[in-house]
Amino acid sequence: MPRKERITEIESLRGIAFGAVVLQHSIAHYSLVPETRLEDGVLLAILLMLSKFAVPLFIFITGMVLFYNTGDKLHYGKFMRKRVTDVIVPYLIWSLIYFTLTPRGWTGFGWNDIPDLGLKLLTGKTTSHFWYIIMLIQFYLLFPLFLRAIRYVYNRYEAKGRLIALLISGVVYLVLADQLRNIAKFMERVNIPVLTDAFTTYADRNFLYFFIYFVLGAAAGLSVQHWNEWIHRLRWIYWTVFIVLGLRFTYLLMLEFQKPEGIKITFYTVSLIRPDMALFLIASIMVMYQPGRKTSQPQGYTIAGMDWWCIVWRLSDAYVDAAV
């Protein structure tokens, strides 16, 4: 990959996404506390919606960086060697560490257990949050196909044609997310080994259900200047979508918390794979890109940029301290 000028906001975006991941795991922990009341659930719901962008933003960053840095020719062997070293090997090591820390661990482990361990490694089942790594590896493996298809559109069409292609990709994704359950039922009927599991048991880590964020990142990486212009030009649209859908999901979560047996904090309503959530997450990526750009600039940032995120972060810290 040829060296280019760094996209300075990428580091800030990674930090924001990382903070959102930590916040989500904290929310998951405190949602299980038996003493949690409805008003606690409301605050948890608000914080969750403010941090829901974490995984899509990481996928967006991956697509943006890969397409920004990759020239016309991809040296796939060198590309994958770096991914094996930086991602796959650490993933395998930490998977084995997590497996060791389970109650059973290696106790009584025998040759018959190797296939089961191998399946857990292939599917990210040694711990709950490794599903993301499995999904990300699929993008790495299929990157040459993405690169060829997207560069074909980029080189053949002008700005209007590229925008139409991006919108078509978005519509395809929305239909795919909307038909998640129907696709799963169909795949169960045809029962194709491996492929059926990819759309049923392991649908939550199937790259097809996350490809729009990678494609959006590719569009940004291929034309950073135009992407920044659109971020500025469309700010009222995506901020409106972000606020309206964020409030809607918060309300739906409040309804979900109220079970016949009492208050129980769960978050099934805000699954990542649903059309309205996809619209919210795309808007969230654009919203987060603003403070990402502000914090990468030496002159600092304002309340319209990053300060509001700091307020949210301090609010979560205060809530955690109170809960402890």
PDB file of all heavy atoms in Angstrom, residues 61-76:
ATOM      1  N   ILE A  61     -14.635   2.945   9.715  1.00  0.00           N
ATOM      2  CA  ILE A  61     -13.227   3.319   9.765  1.00  0.00           C
ATOM      3  C   ILE A  61     -12.372   2.333   8.978  1.00  0.00           C
ATOM      4  O   ILE A  61     -11.473   2.721   8.227  1.00  0.00           O
ATOM      5  CB  ILE A  61     -12.740   3.401  11.230  1.00  0.00           C
ATOM      6  CG1 ILE A  61     -13.412   4.579  11.950  1.00  0.00           C
ATOM      7  CG2 ILE A  61     -11.220   3.545  11.294  1.00  0.00           C
ATOM      8  CD1 ILE A  61     -13.168   4.598  13.452  1.00  0.00           C
ATOM      9  N   THR A  62     -12.659   1.043   9.141  1.00  0.00           N
ATOM     10  CA  THR A  62     -11.913   0.012   8.410  1.00  0.00           C
ATOM     11  C   THR A  62     -12.044   0.213   6.907  1.00  0.00           C
ATOM     12  O   THR A  62     -11.046   0.194   6.173  1.00  0.00           O
ATOM     13  CB  THR A  62     -12.422  -1.388   8.799  1.00  0.00           C
ATOM     14  OG1 THR A  62     -12.233  -1.592  10.199  1.00  0.00           O
ATOM     15  CG2 THR A  62     -11.670  -2.467   8.033  1.00  0.00           C
ATOM     16  N   GLY A  63     -13.272   0.397   6.432  1.00  0.00           N
ATOM     17  CA  GLY A  63     -13.482   0.611   5.001  1.00  0.00           C
ATOM     18  C   GLY A  63     -12.809   1.879   4.513  1.00  0.00           C
ATOM     19  O   GLY A  63     -12.183   1.896   3.443  1.00  0.00           O
ATOM     20  N   MET A  64     -12.892   2.943   5.294  1.00  0.00           N
ATOM     21  CA  MET A  64     -12.309   4.223   4.892  1.00  0.00           C
ATOM     22  C   MET A  64     -10.792   4.122   4.772  1.00  0.00           C
ATOM     23  O   MET A  64     -10.198   4.562   3.783  1.00  0.00           O
ATOM     24  CB  MET A  64     -12.699   5.303   5.894  1.00  0.00           C
ATOM     25  CG  MET A  64     -12.266   6.707   5.491  1.00  0.00           C
ATOM     26  SD  MET A  64     -12.873   7.966   6.661  1.00  0.00           S
ATOM     27  CE  MET A  64     -12.375   9.459   5.799  1.00  0.00           C
ATOM     28  N   VAL A  65     -10.167   3.534   5.777  1.00  0.00           N
ATOM     29  CA  VAL A  65      -8.698   3.433   5.784  1.00  0.00           C
ATOM     30  C   VAL A  65      -8.207   2.512   4.674  1.00  0.00           C
ATOM     31  O   VAL A  65      -7.243   2.829   3.961  1.00  0.00           O
ATOM     32  CB  VAL A  65      -8.208   2.944   7.158  1.00  0.00           C
ATOM     33  CG1 VAL A  65      -6.718   2.625   7.117  1.00  0.00           C
ATOM     34  CG2 VAL A  65      -8.494   3.987   8.229  1.00  0.00           C
ATOM     35  N   LEU A  66      -8.859   1.362   4.497  1.00  0.00           N
ATOM     36  CA  LEU A  66      -8.424   0.410   3.472  1.00  0.00           C
ATOM     37  C   LEU A  66      -8.517   1.019   2.073  1.00  0.00           C
ATOM     38  O   LEU A  66      -7.596   0.900   1.267  1.00  0.00           O
ATOM     39  CB  LEU A  66      -9.256  -0.868   3.550  1.00  0.00           C
ATOM     40  CG  LEU A  66      -8.981  -1.785   4.746  1.00  0.00           C
ATOM     41  CD1 LEU A  66      -9.861  -3.025   4.676  1.00  0.00           C
ATOM     42  CD2 LEU A  66      -7.519  -2.190   4.799  1.00  0.00           C
ATOM     43  N   PHE A  67      -9.628   1.665   1.769  1.00  0.00           N
ATOM     44  CA  PHE A  67      -9.796   2.220   0.426  1.00  0.00           C
ATOM     45  C   PHE A  67      -8.970   3.483   0.227  1.00  0.00           C
ATOM     46  O   PHE A  67      -8.569   3.791  -0.901  1.00  0.00           O
ATOM     47  CB  PHE A  67     -11.276   2.495   0.157  1.00  0.00           C
ATOM     48  CG  PHE A  67     -12.021   1.286  -0.316  1.00  0.00           C
ATOM     49  CD1 PHE A  67     -12.537   0.374   0.590  1.00  0.00           C
ATOM     50  CD2 PHE A  67     -12.179   1.031  -1.667  1.00  0.00           C
ATOM     51  CE1 PHE A  67     -13.211  -0.760   0.169  1.00  0.00           C
ATOM     52  CE2 PHE A  67     -12.854  -0.098  -2.107  1.00  0.00           C
ATOM     53  CZ  PHE A  67     -13.377  -0.998  -1.195  1.00  0.00           C
ATOM     54  N   TYR A  68      -8.700   4.208   1.285  1.00  0.00           N
ATOM     55  CA  TYR A  68      -7.858   5.394   1.165  1.00  0.00           C
ATOM     56  C   TYR A  68      -6.403   5.011   0.886  1.00  0.00           C
ATOM     57  O   TYR A  68      -5.716   5.663   0.083  1.00  0.00           O
ATOM     58  CB  TYR A  68      -7.942   6.209   2.454  1.00  0.00           C
ATOM     59  CG  TYR A  68      -7.079   7.456   2.453  1.00  0.00           C
ATOM     60  CD1 TYR A  68      -7.468   8.594   1.753  1.00  0.00           C
ATOM     61  CD2 TYR A  68      -5.879   7.492   3.170  1.00  0.00           C
ATOM     62  CE1 TYR A  68      -6.691   9.737   1.762  1.00  0.00           C
ATOM     63  CE2 TYR A  68      -5.095   8.639   3.176  1.00  0.00           C
ATOM     64  CZ  TYR A  68      -5.503   9.751   2.476  1.00  0.00           C
ATOM     65  OH  TYR A  68      -4.721  10.883   2.483  1.00  0.00           O
ATOM     66  N   ASN A  69      -5.945   3.953   1.525  1.00  0.00           N
ATOM     67  CA  ASN A  69      -4.532   3.583   1.429  1.00  0.00           C
ATOM     68  C   ASN A  69      -4.215   2.648   0.263  1.00  0.00           C
ATOM     69  O   ASN A  69      -3.069   2.575  -0.163  1.00  0.00           O
ATOM     70  CB  ASN A  69      -4.075   2.904   2.724  1.00  0.00           C
ATOM     71  CG  ASN A  69      -3.909   3.893   3.862  1.00  0.00           C
ATOM     72  OD1 ASN A  69      -3.542   5.045   3.646  1.00  0.00           O
ATOM     73  ND2 ASN A  69      -4.199   3.454   5.073  1.00  0.00           N
ATOM     74  N   THR A  70      -5.204   1.931  -0.240  1.00  0.00           N
ATOM     75  CA  THR A  70      -4.943   0.926  -1.272  1.00  0.00           C
ATOM     76  C   THR A  70      -4.910   1.572  -2.648  1.00  0.00           C
ATOM     77  O   THR A  70      -5.842   2.283  -3.030  1.00  0.00           O
ATOM     78  CB  THR A  70      -6.018  -0.173  -1.255  1.00  0.00           C
ATOM     79  OG1 THR A  70      -6.063  -0.754   0.051  1.00  0.00           O
ATOM     80  CG2 THR A  70      -5.695  -1.252  -2.274  1.00  0.00           C
ATOM     81  N   GLY A  71      -3.848   1.315  -3.374  1.00  0.00           N
ATOM     82  CA  GLY A  71      -3.727   1.837  -4.732  1.00  0.00           C
ATOM     83  C   GLY A  71      -4.520   1.015  -5.732  1.00  0.00           C
ATOM     84  O   GLY A  71      -5.393   0.220  -5.372  1.00  0.00           O
ATOM     85  N   ASP A  72      -4.208   1.189  -7.016  1.00  0.00           N
ATOM     86  CA  ASP A  72      -4.928   0.463  -8.063  1.00  0.00           C
ATOM     87  C   ASP A  72      -4.676  -1.031  -7.999  1.00  0.00           C
ATOM     88  O   ASP A  72      -5.512  -1.831  -8.402  1.00  0.00           O
ATOM     89  CB  ASP A  72      -4.526   1.000  -9.448  1.00  0.00           C
ATOM     90  CG  ASP A  72      -4.984   2.443  -9.646  1.00  0.00           C
ATOM     91  OD1 ASP A  72      -6.011   2.808  -9.041  1.00  0.00           O
ATOM     92  OD2 ASP A  72      -4.309   3.182 -10.382  1.00  0.00           O
ATOM     93  N   LYS A  73      -3.502  -1.423  -7.516  1.00  0.00           N
ATOM     94  CA  LYS A  73      -3.169  -2.842  -7.428  1.00  0.00           C
ATOM     95  C   LYS A  73      -3.036  -3.248  -5.959  1.00  0.00           C
ATOM     96  O   LYS A  73      -2.341  -2.587  -5.183  1.00  0.00           O
ATOM     97  CB  LYS A  73      -1.864  -3.136  -8.173  1.00  0.00           C
ATOM     98  CG  LYS A  73      -1.985  -2.988  -9.690  1.00  0.00           C
ATOM     99  CD  LYS A  73      -0.696  -3.405 -10.383  1.00  0.00           C
ATOM    100  CE  LYS A  73      -0.834  -3.281 -11.901  1.00  0.00           C
ATOM    101  NZ  LYS A  73       0.429  -3.702 -12.599  1.00  0.00           N
ATOM    102  N   LEU A  74      -3.700  -4.335  -5.613  1.00  0.00           N
ATOM    103  CA  LEU A  74      -3.649  -4.848  -4.245  1.00  0.00           C
ATOM    104  C   LEU A  74      -2.715  -6.049  -4.182  1.00  0.00           C
ATOM    105  O   LEU A  74      -2.888  -7.021  -4.928  1.00  0.00           O
ATOM    106  CB  LEU A  74      -5.054  -5.268  -3.793  1.00  0.00           C
ATOM    107  CG  LEU A  74      -5.132  -6.001  -2.448  1.00  0.00           C
ATOM    108  CD1 LEU A  74      -4.781  -5.048  -1.304  1.00  0.00           C
ATOM    109  CD2 LEU A  74      -6.519  -6.600  -2.236  1.00  0.00           C
ATOM    110  N   HIS A  75      -1.723  -5.988  -3.317  1.00  0.00           N
ATOM    111  CA  HIS A  75      -0.851  -7.133  -3.064  1.00  0.00           C
ATOM    112  C   HIS A  75      -1.511  -7.962  -1.962  1.00  0.00           C
ATOM    113  O   HIS A  75      -1.252  -7.754  -0.770  1.00  0.00           O
ATOM    114  CB  HIS A  75       0.549  -6.663  -2.664  1.00  0.00           C
ATOM    115  CG  HIS A  75       1.220  -5.808  -3.696  1.00  0.00           C
ATOM    116  ND1 HIS A  75       1.790  -6.332  -4.837  1.00  0.00           N
ATOM    117  CD2 HIS A  75       1.367  -4.455  -3.778  1.00  0.00           C
ATOM    118  CE1 HIS A  75       2.296  -5.352  -5.568  1.00  0.00           C
ATOM    119  NE2 HIS A  75       2.045  -4.206  -4.945  1.00  0.00           N
ATOM    120  N   TYR A  76      -2.366  -8.883  -2.384  1.00  0.00           N
ATOM    121  CA  TYR A  76      -3.242  -9.571  -1.443  1.00  0.00           C
ATOM    122  C   TYR A  76      -2.467 -10.392  -0.414  1.00  0.00           C
ATOM    123  O   TYR A  76      -2.854 -10.450   0.760  1.00  0.00           O
ATOM    124  CB  TYR A  76      -4.218 -10.469  -2.198  1.00  0.00           C
ATOM    125  CG  TYR A  76      -5.301 -11.065  -1.326  1.00  0.00           C
ATOM    126  CD1 TYR A  76      -6.181 -10.252  -0.626  1.00  0.00           C
ATOM    127  CD2 TYR A  76      -5.436 -12.457  -1.207  1.00  0.00           C
ATOM    128  CE1 TYR A  76      -7.169 -10.785   0.173  1.00  0.00           C
ATOM    129  CE2 TYR A  76      -6.431 -13.002  -0.413  1.00  0.00           C
ATOM    130  CZ  TYR A  76      -7.296 -12.162   0.280  1.00  0.00           C
ATOM    131  OH  TYR A  76      -8.278 -12.694   1.076  1.00  0.00           O
TER     132      TYR A  76
END
